[in-house]
């Protein structure tokens, strides 16, 4: 079978916000229509769908896409990279010509709901959850606190380093109208915010919201006739190393991003030193640091120093999370990193990296992860 | 290969820990802050257990320090394995 070169032709968001009152279907429809308008593709030309959040078949019917050649509703996965990889491969293998990939993420239950004993916070795919609850672990912020603390121990990172990271990301967000948090932030303000699971503070966590994100994958050939500058998928990778119990990872500093990055670079002649901008998952801030190291964009255990020295700023070696990251744009569960990469390679970012030609975006940490490498067409 | 349970010594080292500063469940409202940890049992490298740390202050914790098991009630019906510094050391 001959593999086809795949392009990303359209990107779009729904009306993202806190407790929007809209359904998953609303967010799916709004984001898909935005991505179709962005690309110039008409609904009848979509012949494949992949989503995490809602149901792919339902969304295709709702949007009048017509008969679909490829459809997938993703289960628990490393965020948006899963529907994105399936969409890419469906087009590359010729199963479909134009595939919409979604991540629809509704705001998690409020802390008030959880404190009243709501079980709505339990993840359906979580295994052995009784081993968490018996020890007072009801939130992903616990594994984040454990992983962050071990990371600080091994790297020597300080709370001030995490404050600096938050300040740099907020600076990017201040220029991005899509960001939900845009007010300038200082190191002192970060340090004055409460711990959730020490050393993890509230500004180390992505910002819960209702979001719909849609990305359209099609052939390079077709993309050349569409509205936007062409952005090509060079390659992508997945990795899983453990079951979903983050708390029992035997090495919390080197997790699945290491294997996903090795897989990624093994598929391409592009090298880490060729990367012009990186958009790296920040569900919790230390995850971006894990990815900088795993991808070889800085030295192993060197991310805190890299960030301290301005490596992730617009004038730095690898401008990173240039939309402000999910800590500021809101939890779009990985999709914002894909969309911001596309905008950078089109020259449309609100914090544009000059002459950006290679972008890497990456999702998740711990048990599973994935990454995708994009180039300017 | 036959899988079966095997008794362990109750000795472990401290791999990582976090302070629960916020109660996400009503049972813990009057118990915060408390310590949640991942410990590595001495019987096998990579044999990790999630647990609570007791009889120790956060400021006295050291990564990789030696710990020993203790058992504490959870509600009226359960005993759960928790860990404290080995030999009562501070």
């Amino acid at each position: 079978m001959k593999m086809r070169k795949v392009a990303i032709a359209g990107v779009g968001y729904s009306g993202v916000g806190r407790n929007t009152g809209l359904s998953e279907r609303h967010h799916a429809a709004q984001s898909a229509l935005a991505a179709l308008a962005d690309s110039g593709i008409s609904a009848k030309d979509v012949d494949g769908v992949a989503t995490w959040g809602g149901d792919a078949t339902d969304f295709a019917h709702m949007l009048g896409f017509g008969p679909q050649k490829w459809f997938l509703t993703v289960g628990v996965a490393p965020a948006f990279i899963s529907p994105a990889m399936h969409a890419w491969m469906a087009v590359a293998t010729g199963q479909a010509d134009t595939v919409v990939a979604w991540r629809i993420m509704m705001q998690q239950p409020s802390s008030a709901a959880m404190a009243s004993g709501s079980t709505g916070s339990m993840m359906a795919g979580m295994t052995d959850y009784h081993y968490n609850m018996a020890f007072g672990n009801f939130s992903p912020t616990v594994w984040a606190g454990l992983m962050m603390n071990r990371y600080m121990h091994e790297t020597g990172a300080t709370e001030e380093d995490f404050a600096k990271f938050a300040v740099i990301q907020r600076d990017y967000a201040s220029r991005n109208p899509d960001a939900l948090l845009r007010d300038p932030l200082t190191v002192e303000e970060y340090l004055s915010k409460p711990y959730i699971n020490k050393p993890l503070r509230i500004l180390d966590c992505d910002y819960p919201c209702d979001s719909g994100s849609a990305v359209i994958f099609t052939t390079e050939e077709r993309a050349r006739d569409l509205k936007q500058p062409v952005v090509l998928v060079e390659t992508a990778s997945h990795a899983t190393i453990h079951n979903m119990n983050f708390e029992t990872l035997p090495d919390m500093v080197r997790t699945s991003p290491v294997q996903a990055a090795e897989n990624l670079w093994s598929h391409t002649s592009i090298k880490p030193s060729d990367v012009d901008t990186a958009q790296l998952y920040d569900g919790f801030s230390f995850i971006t640091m894990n990815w900088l190291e795993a991808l070889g964009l800085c030295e192993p255990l060197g991310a805190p120093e890299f960030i301290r020295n301005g490596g992730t700023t617009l004038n730095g070696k690898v401008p990173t999370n240039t939309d402000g990251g999910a800590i500021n744009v809101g939890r779009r569960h990985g999709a914002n990193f894909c969309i911001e990469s596309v905008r950078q390679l089109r020259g449309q970012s609100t914090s544009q990296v000059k002459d950006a030609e290679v972008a890497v975006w990456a999702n998740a940490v711990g048990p599973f992860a994935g990454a995708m490498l994009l180039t300017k067409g | 290969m036959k899988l079966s349970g095997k008794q362990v010594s109750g000795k472990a080292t401290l791999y990582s820990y976090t302070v629960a500063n916020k109660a996400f469940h009503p049972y813990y409202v009057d118990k915060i802050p408390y310590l949640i940890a991942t410990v590595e049992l001495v019987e096998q490298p990579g044999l990790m257990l999630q647990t609570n740390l007791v009889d120790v202050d956060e400021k006295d914790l050291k990564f990789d320090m030696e710990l020993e098991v203790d058992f504490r009630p959870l509600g009226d019906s359960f005993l759960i394995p928790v860990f404290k510094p080995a030999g009562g050391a501070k």
Side-chain angles (χ1 to χ4, degrees):
Chain A
M1 184 191 345
K2 191 173 181 301
M3 297 288 274
R4 303 191 293 184
K5 191 76 176 175
V6 177
I8 293 179
V11 297
Y13 289 125
S14 66
V16 175
R18 299 273 285 177
N19 294 310
T20 58
L22 301 178
S23 68
E24 289 182 329
R25 282 173 165 170
H26 281 105
H27 285 281
Q30 289 177 352
S31 56
L33 293 175
L36 288 168
D38 179 63
S39 66
I41 294 171
S42 62
K44 67 175 172 44
D45 291 330
V46 176
D47 60 0
V49 281
T51 187
W52 185 10
D55 181 89
T57 301
D58 179 58
F59 290 172
H61 175 70
M62 172 179 70
L63 284 152
F65 287 167
Q68 298 292 293
K69 295 174 179 167
W70 181 261
F71 55 96
L72 176 77
T73 299
V74 177
V76 173
F80 180 66
I81 191 73
S82 280
M85 272 190 80
H86 284 278
W88 164 58
M89 289 195 289
V91 176
T93 57
Q95 290 295 331
D97 292 326
T98 301
V99 180
V100 178
W102 282 278
R103 180 72 182 99
I104 311 298
M105 184 91 187
M106 305 306 282
Q107 190 169 331
Q108 298 295 295
S110 67
S111 56
M114 287 193 275
S116 69
S118 162
T119 55
S121 60
M122 300 303 140
M123 273 178 74
M126 200 63 88
T127 46
D128 303 330
Y129 214 87
H130 50 293
Y131 289 120
N132 286 3
M133 292 185 282
F135 301 102
N137 174 357
F138 298 89
S139 164
T141 53
V142 170
W143 61 251
L146 292 167
M147 291 181 78
M148 181 173 169
N149 209 10
R150 185 73 196 188
Y151 183 78
M152 292 173 76
H153 171 63
E154 293 197 21
T155 60
T158 64
E159 294 195 339
E160 285 71 20
D161 291 331
F162 286 88
K164 181 87 189 288
F165 176 80
V167 168
I168 291 167
Q169 294 222 131
R170 183 64 66 81
D171 179 60
Y172 282 126
S174 70
R175 292 185 288 279
N176 180 7
D178 283 338
L180 301 182
L181 300 176
R182 291 198 293 268
D183 293 339
L185 181 73
T186 64
V187 166
E188 294 69 30
E189 263 178 281
Y190 167 93
L191 293 170
S192 72
K193 298 288 183 186
Y195 291 115
I196 305 299
N197 280 96
K198 188 181 177 184
L200 186 87
R201 293 180 191 271
I202 197 160
L203 288 178
D204 293 305
C205 308
D206 59 1
Y207 190 51
C209 62
D210 296 341
S211 68
S213 308
V215 176
I216 304 177
F217 292 78
T218 192
T219 60
E220 175 183 8
E221 189 185 7
R222 182 157 167 64
R224 299 229 172 261
D225 294 331
L226 294 169
K227 264 168 76 173
Q228 298 289 349
V230 174
V231 172
L232 298 171
V233 180
E234 171 67 15
T235 191
S237 69
H238 259 157
T240 182
I241 61 165
H242 198 261
N243 68 14
M244 283 302 291
N245 297 298
F246 290 71
E247 295 84 356
T248 54
L249 284 160
D251 181 346
M252 292 186 175
V253 178
R254 287 151 291 263
T255 63
S256 55
V258 173
Q259 288 79 10
E262 283 172 9
N263 294 345
L264 187 81
W265 298 126
S266 74
H267 297 317
T268 177
S269 59
I270 292 174
K271 295 184 170 45
S273 58
D274 298 324
V275 170
D276 297 311
T277 180
Q279 312 299 333
L280 308 175
Y281 199 76
D282 66 342
F284 299 110
S285 54
F286 69 88
I287 302 174
T288 305
M289 301 181 194
N290 290 167
W291 273 110
L292 283 167
E293 295 167 10
L295 286 163
L297 302 175
C298 69
E299 294 296 313
L301 304 182
E305 186 184 4
F306 186 75
I307 291 163
R308 205 181 302 137
N309 295 334
T312 61
T313 62
L314 201 49
N315 297 318
K317 193 175 164 201
V318 186
T320 301
N321 297 355
T322 51
D323 66 345
I327 290 170
N328 298 302
V329 303
R331 184 185 289 142
R332 302 170 195 226
H333 212 212
N336 62 295
F337 302 105
C338 176
I339 290 176
E340 176 63 10
S341 296
V342 170
R343 288 177 172 171
Q344 282 288 356
L345 297 177
R346 288 176 178 177
Q348 298 172 352
S349 173
T350 50
S351 296
Q352 184 61 43
V353 176
K354 196 166 173 290
D355 302 325
E357 293 184 343
V358 176
V360 65
W361 64 276
N363 281 180
V365 75
F368 54 19
M372 185 174 276
L373 191 63
L374 303 178
T375 62
K376 187 175 176 177
Chain B
M1 187 173 74
K2 186 167 174 286
L3 294 175
S4 61
K6 188 175 175 184
Q7 191 167 330
V8 292
S9 63
K11 297 184 192 312
T13 55
L14 179 59
Y15 181 73
S16 196
Y17 61 95
T18 181
V19 186
N21 302 92
K22 188 173 166 63
F24 287 94
H25 186 283
Y27 180 80
Y28 291 94
V29 169
D30 61 0
K31 295 176 180 64
I32 53 171
Y34 56 95
L35 291 161
I36 301 175
T38 296
V39 302
E40 186 171 22
L41 303 186
V42 297
E43 278 73 16
Q44 184 181 314
L47 186 57
M48 316 304 276
L49 186 73
Q50 181 179 182
T51 188
N52 296 128
L53 299 176
V54 299
D55 296 345
V56 64
D57 286 336
E58 183 209 348
K59 65 176 170 48
D60 296 320
L61 293 174
K62 290 188 172 54
F63 284 88
D64 307 315
M65 70 190 285
E66 293 180 358
L67 304 169
E68 64 189 26
V69 75
D70 198 355
F71 293 89
R72 295 288 162 91
L74 177 70
D76 298 327
S77 314
F78 297 102
L79 281 178
I80 56 170
V82 298
F83 282 78
K84 60 186 182 184
K90 278 280 179 181

